Amino acid sequence: GENVEQHPSTLSVQEGDSAVIKCTYSDSASNYFPWYKQELGKGPQLIIDIRSNVGEKKDQRIAVTLNKTAKHFSLHITETQPEDSAVYFCAASNHQGAQKLVFGQGTRLTINP
Amino acid sequence: EAQVTQNPRYLITVTGKKLTVTCSQNMNHEYMSWYRQDPGLGLRQIYYSMNVEVTDKGDVPEGYKVSRKEKRNFPLILESPSPNQTSLYFCASSLVTSGYWNEQFFGPGTRLTVL
């Protein structure tokens, strides 16, 4: 089955700097890669996703890149702000019908003012 | 407001005492799922349901039961809880569209402690 590895487990950056979180997956058939943000005391919330037919997707300060050959994808946050502090999860899936997501281990991002 | 609700939000219980965690969504979603979140392990799927009366095992189903008698509700049942089921539990739901992924909406979580 699918296995997703996420790095780093913790990341601390200065406000205004960029943050990058990386994930690798094992199943070459995976074709959907969402990123979730989990704020303290809340459930995860989708912030961006990418499908295997594109290599990059951007939404304001957030971007995701996908390298299918290397089987890795990354989340990029530019001009970080204090409200970006949260735990971020990547996920992967190839089971569209079953809606089965396999999550990475999570990255705790801290933005220092 | 469109949302997924879970009850209770916090629960402390003892080994072997049956419990149920409820999950309800008001978005008319076909798909519902339960995950557990443990430090260093991310979220792992316990069970999921594609529609009423259709359920299937996820990656860590041992010790859990589910039912889907109504579209909006998907309760998680622990018949005989054990300390290794101490965890943070999330329910999620989404639409089902053939050949297309839809966003999963998560509930606020239930923190369960089994003594």
mmCIF file of all heavy atoms in Angstrom, chain A residues 59-93:
data_model
loop_
_atom_site.group_PDB
_atom_site.id
_atom_site.type_symbol
_atom_site.label_atom_id
_atom_site.label_comp_id
_atom_site.label_asym_id
_atom_site.label_seq_id
_atom_site.Cartn_x
_atom_site.Cartn_y
_atom_site.Cartn_z
ATOM 1 N N ASP A 59 -1.706 29.384 -4.806
ATOM 2 C CA ASP A 59 -2.864 30.108 -4.293
ATOM 3 C C ASP A 59 -2.354 31.161 -3.329
ATOM 4 O O ASP A 59 -2.062 30.876 -2.171
ATOM 5 C CB ASP A 59 -3.834 29.153 -3.595
ATOM 6 C CG ASP A 59 -5.090 29.848 -3.103
ATOM 7 O OD1 ASP A 59 -5.246 31.064 -3.343
ATOM 8 O OD2 ASP A 59 -5.918 29.184 -2.458
ATOM 9 N N GLN A 60 -2.197 32.369 -3.802
ATOM 10 C CA GLN A 60 -1.680 33.488 -3.031
ATOM 11 C C GLN A 60 -0.289 33.155 -2.491
ATOM 12 O O GLN A 60 0.645 32.974 -3.286
ATOM 13 C CB GLN A 60 -2.677 33.868 -1.935
ATOM 14 C CG GLN A 60 -4.024 34.299 -2.508
ATOM 15 C CD GLN A 60 -5.022 34.739 -1.457
ATOM 16 O OE1 GLN A 60 -4.909 34.413 -0.265
ATOM 17 N NE2 GLN A 60 -6.027 35.477 -1.869
ATOM 18 N N ARG A 61 -0.123 33.046 -1.179
ATOM 19 C CA ARG A 61 1.217 32.814 -0.613
ATOM 20 C C ARG A 61 1.578 31.332 -0.534
ATOM 21 O O ARG A 61 2.668 30.987 -0.077
ATOM 22 C CB ARG A 61 1.293 33.415 0.783
ATOM 23 C CG ARG A 61 1.132 34.921 0.830
ATOM 24 C CD ARG A 61 1.358 35.440 2.256
ATOM 25 N NE ARG A 61 0.363 34.938 3.205
ATOM 26 C CZ ARG A 61 0.619 34.035 4.136
ATOM 27 N NH1 ARG A 61 1.842 33.520 4.267
ATOM 28 N NH2 ARG A 61 -0.334 33.643 4.964
ATOM 29 N N ILE A 62 0.680 30.486 -0.947
ATOM 30 C CA ILE A 62 0.894 29.038 -0.830
ATOM 31 C C ILE A 62 1.049 28.413 -2.207
ATOM 32 O O ILE A 62 0.293 28.758 -3.141
ATOM 33 C CB ILE A 62 -0.281 28.382 -0.084
ATOM 34 C CG1 ILE A 62 -0.331 28.868 1.353
ATOM 35 C CG2 ILE A 62 -0.188 26.866 -0.135
ATOM 36 C CD1 ILE A 62 -1.557 28.399 2.103
ATOM 37 N N ALA A 63 2.011 27.533 -2.340
ATOM 38 C CA ALA A 63 2.205 26.814 -3.598
ATOM 39 C C ALA A 63 2.567 25.366 -3.297
ATOM 40 O O ALA A 63 3.154 25.059 -2.253
ATOM 41 C CB ALA A 63 3.299 27.466 -4.439
ATOM 42 N N VAL A 64 2.200 24.496 -4.200
ATOM 43 C CA VAL A 64 2.578 23.088 -4.090
ATOM 44 C C VAL A 64 3.218 22.667 -5.415
ATOM 45 O O VAL A 64 2.748 23.063 -6.489
ATOM 46 C CB VAL A 64 1.372 22.194 -3.730
ATOM 47 C CG1 VAL A 64 0.256 22.339 -4.742
ATOM 48 C CG2 VAL A 64 1.792 20.743 -3.601
ATOM 49 N N THR A 65 4.315 21.920 -5.315
ATOM 50 C CA THR A 65 4.974 21.383 -6.501
ATOM 51 C C THR A 65 4.961 19.869 -6.431
ATOM 52 O O THR A 65 5.007 19.282 -5.343
ATOM 53 C CB THR A 65 6.419 21.883 -6.598
ATOM 54 O OG1 THR A 65 7.145 21.500 -5.417
ATOM 55 C CG2 THR A 65 6.465 23.398 -6.728
ATOM 56 N N LEU A 66 4.903 19.251 -7.576
ATOM 57 C CA LEU A 66 4.843 17.795 -7.666
ATOM 58 C C LEU A 66 5.861 17.294 -8.677
ATOM 59 O O LEU A 66 5.914 17.775 -9.807
ATOM 60 C CB LEU A 66 3.438 17.355 -8.081
ATOM 61 C CG LEU A 66 3.242 15.873 -8.423
ATOM 62 C CD1 LEU A 66 3.472 15.000 -7.193
ATOM 63 C CD2 LEU A 66 1.841 15.637 -9.000
ATOM 64 N N ASN A 67 6.657 16.330 -8.255
ATOM 65 C CA ASN A 67 7.605 15.666 -9.136
ATOM 66 C C ASN A 67 7.241 14.183 -9.169
ATOM 67 O O ASN A 67 7.588 13.425 -8.265
ATOM 68 C CB ASN A 67 9.041 15.861 -8.631
ATOM 69 C CG ASN A 67 10.090 15.260 -9.572
ATOM 70 O OD1 ASN A 67 9.846 14.247 -10.222
ATOM 71 N ND2 ASN A 67 11.249 15.879 -9.632
ATOM 72 N N LYS A 68 6.518 13.780 -10.195
ATOM 73 C CA LYS A 68 6.028 12.398 -10.254
ATOM 74 C C LYS A 68 7.160 11.404 -10.492
ATOM 75 O O LYS A 68 7.109 10.269 -10.024
ATOM 76 C CB LYS A 68 4.965 12.251 -11.334
ATOM 77 C CG LYS A 68 3.636 12.894 -10.997
ATOM 78 C CD LYS A 68 2.481 12.128 -11.592
ATOM 79 C CE LYS A 68 2.255 10.804 -10.866
ATOM 80 N NZ LYS A 68 1.145 10.016 -11.436
ATOM 81 N N THR A 69 8.177 11.822 -11.210
ATOM 82 C CA THR A 69 9.292 10.912 -11.471
ATOM 83 C C THR A 69 9.989 10.534 -10.182
ATOM 84 O O THR A 69 10.300 9.367 -9.934
ATOM 85 C CB THR A 69 10.289 11.559 -12.441
ATOM 86 O OG1 THR A 69 9.605 11.915 -13.643
ATOM 87 C CG2 THR A 69 11.436 10.616 -12.748
ATOM 88 N N ALA A 70 10.234 11.539 -9.349
ATOM 89 C CA ALA A 70 10.913 11.307 -8.072
ATOM 90 C C ALA A 70 9.947 10.913 -6.967
ATOM 91 O O ALA A 70 10.382 10.581 -5.862
ATOM 92 C CB ALA A 70 11.684 12.559 -7.672
ATOM 93 N N LYS A 71 8.666 11.003 -7.227
ATOM 94 C CA LYS A 71 7.625 10.692 -6.240
ATOM 95 C C LYS A 71 7.766 11.550 -4.997
ATOM 96 O O LYS A 71 7.803 11.045 -3.860
ATOM 97 C CB LYS A 71 7.607 9.192 -5.910
ATOM 98 C CG LYS A 71 7.115 8.339 -7.075
ATOM 99 C CD LYS A 71 6.843 6.912 -6.697
ATOM 100 C CE LYS A 71 8.122 6.131 -6.592
ATOM 101 N NZ LYS A 71 7.912 4.683 -6.419
ATOM 102 N N HIS A 72 7.865 12.852 -5.216
ATOM 103 C CA HIS A 72 7.805 13.737 -4.079
ATOM 104 C C HIS A 72 7.065 15.016 -4.424
ATOM 105 O O HIS A 72 6.967 15.412 -5.591
ATOM 106 C CB HIS A 72 9.189 14.012 -3.467
ATOM 107 C CG HIS A 72 10.132 14.791 -4.327
ATOM 108 N ND1 HIS A 72 9.988 16.140 -4.618
ATOM 109 C CD2 HIS A 72 11.287 14.420 -4.921
ATOM 110 C CE1 HIS A 72 10.987 16.538 -5.363
ATOM 111 N NE2 HIS A 72 11.794 15.528 -5.561
ATOM 112 N N PHE A 73 6.496 15.634 -3.398
ATOM 113 C CA PHE A 73 5.766 16.881 -3.554
ATOM 114 C C PHE A 73 6.049 17.773 -2.337
ATOM 115 O O PHE A 73 6.396 17.271 -1.266
ATOM 116 C CB PHE A 73 4.267 16.642 -3.759
ATOM 117 C CG PHE A 73 3.573 15.841 -2.697
ATOM 118 C CD1 PHE A 73 2.644 16.437 -1.856
ATOM 119 C CD2 PHE A 73 3.817 14.479 -2.536
ATOM 120 C CE1 PHE A 73 1.980 15.707 -0.890
ATOM 121 C CE2 PHE A 73 3.167 13.744 -1.571
ATOM 122 C CZ PHE A 73 2.242 14.356 -0.757
ATOM 123 N N SER A 74 5.943 19.069 -2.543
ATOM 124 C CA SER A 74 6.349 20.021 -1.511
ATOM 125 C C SER A 74 5.337 21.148 -1.372
ATOM 126 O O SER A 74 4.688 21.530 -2.342
ATOM 127 C CB SER A 74 7.719 20.621 -1.847
ATOM 128 O OG SER A 74 8.705 19.623 -1.948
ATOM 129 N N LEU A 75 5.266 21.654 -0.144
ATOM 130 C CA LEU A 75 4.437 22.829 0.158
ATOM 131 C C LEU A 75 5.366 24.007 0.395
ATOM 132 O O LEU A 75 6.316 23.899 1.172
ATOM 133 C CB LEU A 75 3.584 22.571 1.399
ATOM 134 C CG LEU A 75 2.711 23.736 1.865
ATOM 135 C CD1 LEU A 75 1.564 23.970 0.894
ATOM 136 C CD2 LEU A 75 2.176 23.479 3.279
ATOM 137 N N HIS A 76 5.078 25.124 -0.263
ATOM 138 C CA HIS A 76 5.880 26.334 -0.117
ATOM 139 C C HIS A 76 4.972 27.449 0.403
ATOM 140 O O HIS A 76 3.924 27.730 -0.194
ATOM 141 C CB HIS A 76 6.473 26.752 -1.459
ATOM 142 C CG HIS A 76 7.287 25.693 -2.134
ATOM 143 N ND1 HIS A 76 8.657 25.719 -2.192
ATOM 144 C CD2 HIS A 76 6.910 24.549 -2.768
ATOM 145 C CE1 HIS A 76 9.093 24.654 -2.839
ATOM 146 N NE2 HIS A 76 8.050 23.924 -3.200
ATOM 147 N N ILE A 77 5.381 28.058 1.502
ATOM 148 C CA ILE A 77 4.659 29.206 2.048
ATOM 149 C C ILE A 77 5.608 30.398 2.014
ATOM 150 O O ILE A 77 6.682 30.351 2.619
ATOM 151 C CB ILE A 77 4.170 28.961 3.485
ATOM 152 C CG1 ILE A 77 3.350 27.664 3.567
ATOM 153 C CG2 ILE A 77 3.331 30.151 3.967
ATOM 154 C CD1 ILE A 77 2.939 27.287 4.988
ATOM 155 N N THR A 78 5.234 31.436 1.303
ATOM 156 C CA THR A 78 6.076 32.638 1.229
ATOM 157 C C THR A 78 5.521 33.718 2.156
ATOM 158 O O THR A 78 4.358 33.679 2.573
ATOM 159 C CB THR A 78 6.118 33.169 -0.207
ATOM 160 O OG1 THR A 78 4.783 33.471 -0.629
ATOM 161 C CG2 THR A 78 6.726 32.151 -1.156
ATOM 162 N N GLU A 79 6.399 34.659 2.487
ATOM 163 C CA GLU A 79 6.020 35.806 3.341
ATOM 164 C C GLU A 79 5.220 35.336 4.559
ATOM 165 O O GLU A 79 4.103 35.804 4.812
ATOM 166 C CB GLU A 79 5.212 36.814 2.517
ATOM 167 C CG GLU A 79 5.957 37.353 1.308
ATOM 168 C CD GLU A 79 5.058 38.199 0.398
ATOM 169 O OE1 GLU A 79 3.941 38.576 0.811
ATOM 170 O OE2 GLU A 79 5.476 38.459 -0.744
ATOM 171 N N THR A 80 5.807 34.435 5.305
ATOM 172 C CA THR A 80 5.082 33.814 6.410
ATOM 173 C C THR A 80 4.602 34.835 7.440
ATOM 174 O O THR A 80 5.251 35.867 7.692
ATOM 175 C CB THR A 80 5.937 32.759 7.105
ATOM 176 O OG1 THR A 80 7.195 33.340 7.468
ATOM 177 C CG2 THR A 80 6.168 31.568 6.205
ATOM 178 N N GLN A 81 3.450 34.509 8.021
ATOM 179 C CA GLN A 81 2.821 35.372 9.025
ATOM 180 C C GLN A 81 2.542 34.536 10.274
ATOM 181 O O GLN A 81 2.464 33.300 10.196
ATOM 182 C CB GLN A 81 1.524 35.943 8.442
ATOM 183 C CG GLN A 81 1.741 36.766 7.179
ATOM 184 C CD GLN A 81 0.442 37.100 6.457
ATOM 185 O OE1 GLN A 81 -0.653 36.765 6.911
ATOM 186 N NE2 GLN A 81 0.568 37.769 5.320
ATOM 187 N N PRO A 82 2.367 35.179 11.431
ATOM 188 C CA PRO A 82 2.108 34.420 12.664
ATOM 189 C C PRO A 82 0.947 33.443 12.541
ATOM 190 O O PRO A 82 0.986 32.349 13.118
ATOM 191 C CB PRO A 82 1.809 35.527 13.681
ATOM 192 C CG PRO A 82 2.578 36.695 13.188
ATOM 193 C CD PRO A 82 2.501 36.619 11.685
ATOM 194 N N GLU A 83 -0.078 33.793 11.769
ATOM 195 C CA GLU A 83 -1.245 32.907 11.645
ATOM 196 C C GLU A 83 -0.947 31.658 10.813
ATOM 197 O O GLU A 83 -1.798 30.755 10.698
ATOM 198 C CB GLU A 83 -2.438 33.658 11.058
ATOM 199 C CG GLU A 83 -2.148 34.371 9.760
ATOM 200 C CD GLU A 83 -1.805 35.833 9.967
ATOM 201 O OE1 GLU A 83 -1.121 36.144 10.983
ATOM 202 O OE2 GLU A 83 -2.199 36.647 9.110
ATOM 203 N N ASP A 84 0.241 31.585 10.220
ATOM 204 C CA ASP A 84 0.634 30.365 9.510
ATOM 205 C C ASP A 84 1.118 29.291 10.482
ATOM 206 O O ASP A 84 1.306 28.136 10.086
ATOM 207 C CB ASP A 84 1.743 30.659 8.498
ATOM 208 C CG ASP A 84 1.283 31.566 7.367
ATOM 209 O OD1 ASP A 84 0.084 31.502 7.012
ATOM 210 O OD2 ASP A 84 2.110 32.348 6.863
ATOM 211 N N SER A 85 1.348 29.662 11.739
ATOM 212 C CA SER A 85 1.782 28.685 12.743
ATOM 213 C C SER A 85 0.691 27.634 12.931
ATOM 214 O O SER A 85 -0.458 27.966 13.242
ATOM 215 C CB SER A 85 2.074 29.382 14.075
ATOM 216 O OG SER A 85 3.201 30.218 13.971
ATOM 217 N N ALA A 86 1.041 26.372 12.713
ATOM 218 C CA ALA A 86 0.072 25.270 12.777
ATOM 219 C C ALA A 86 0.812 23.973 12.488
ATOM 220 O O ALA A 86 2.032 23.968 12.260
ATOM 221 C CB ALA A 86 -1.047 25.461 11.751
ATOM 222 N N VAL A 87 0.076 22.873 12.505
ATOM 223 C CA VAL A 87 0.617 21.591 12.040
ATOM 224 C C VAL A 87 0.098 21.359 10.628
ATOM 225 O O VAL A 87 -1.098 21.522 10.371
ATOM 226 C CB VAL A 87 0.197 20.433 12.970
ATOM 227 C CG1 VAL A 87 0.728 19.107 12.424
ATOM 228 C CG2 VAL A 87 0.717 20.670 14.381
ATOM 229 N N TYR A 88 1.001 20.995 9.733
ATOM 230 C CA TYR A 88 0.647 20.767 8.341
ATOM 231 C C TYR A 88 0.816 19.282 8.005
ATOM 232 O O TYR A 88 1.812 18.656 8.385
ATOM 233 C CB TYR A 88 1.530 21.609 7.417
ATOM 234 C CG TYR A 88 1.239 23.078 7.534
ATOM 235 C CD1 TYR A 88 1.771 23.833 8.578
ATOM 236 C CD2 TYR A 88 0.417 23.722 6.612
ATOM 237 C CE1 TYR A 88 1.497 25.186 8.705
ATOM 238 C CE2 TYR A 88 0.133 25.070 6.725
ATOM 239 C CZ TYR A 88 0.670 25.798 7.771
ATOM 240 O OH TYR A 88 0.380 27.139 7.890
ATOM 241 N N PHE A 89 -0.157 18.741 7.295
ATOM 242 C CA PHE A 89 -0.121 17.346 6.863
ATOM 243 C C PHE A 89 -0.198 17.266 5.349
ATOM 244 O O PHE A 89 -1.041 17.918 4.726
ATOM 245 C CB PHE A 89 -1.306 16.559 7.430
ATOM 246 C CG PHE A 89 -1.262 16.338 8.913
ATOM 247 C CD1 PHE A 89 -1.987 17.160 9.768
ATOM 248 C CD2 PHE A 89 -0.508 15.306 9.452
ATOM 249 C CE1 PHE A 89 -1.959 16.948 11.141
ATOM 250 C CE2 PHE A 89 -0.480 15.094 10.820
ATOM 251 C CZ PHE A 89 -1.200 15.924 11.665
ATOM 252 N N CYS A 90 0.652 16.438 4.767
ATOM 253 C CA CYS A 90 0.480 16.083 3.364
ATOM 254 C C CYS A 90 -0.251 14.750 3.299
ATOM 255 O O CYS A 90 -0.336 14.016 4.293
ATOM 256 C CB CYS A 90 1.832 15.988 2.660
ATOM 257 S SG CYS A 90 2.922 14.679 3.275
ATOM 258 N N ALA A 91 -0.788 14.439 2.144
ATOM 259 C CA ALA A 91 -1.477 13.166 1.949
ATOM 260 C C ALA A 91 -1.393 12.776 0.487
ATOM 261 O O ALA A 91 -1.117 13.615 -0.385
ATOM 262 C CB ALA A 91 -2.930 13.252 2.411
ATOM 263 N N ALA A 92 -1.625 11.500 0.225
ATOM 264 C CA ALA A 92 -1.589 10.997 -1.150
ATOM 265 C C ALA A 92 -2.641 9.929 -1.318
ATOM 266 O O ALA A 92 -3.010 9.247 -0.352
ATOM 267 C CB ALA A 92 -0.204 10.439 -1.487
ATOM 268 N N SER A 93 -3.110 9.778 -2.545
ATOM 269 C CA SER A 93 -4.087 8.734 -2.812
ATOM 270 C C SER A 93 -4.173 8.421 -4.298
ATOM 271 O O SER A 93 -3.956 9.286 -5.140
ATOM 272 C CB SER A 93 -5.469 9.138 -2.326
ATOM 273 O OG SER A 93 -6.389 8.095 -2.610
#
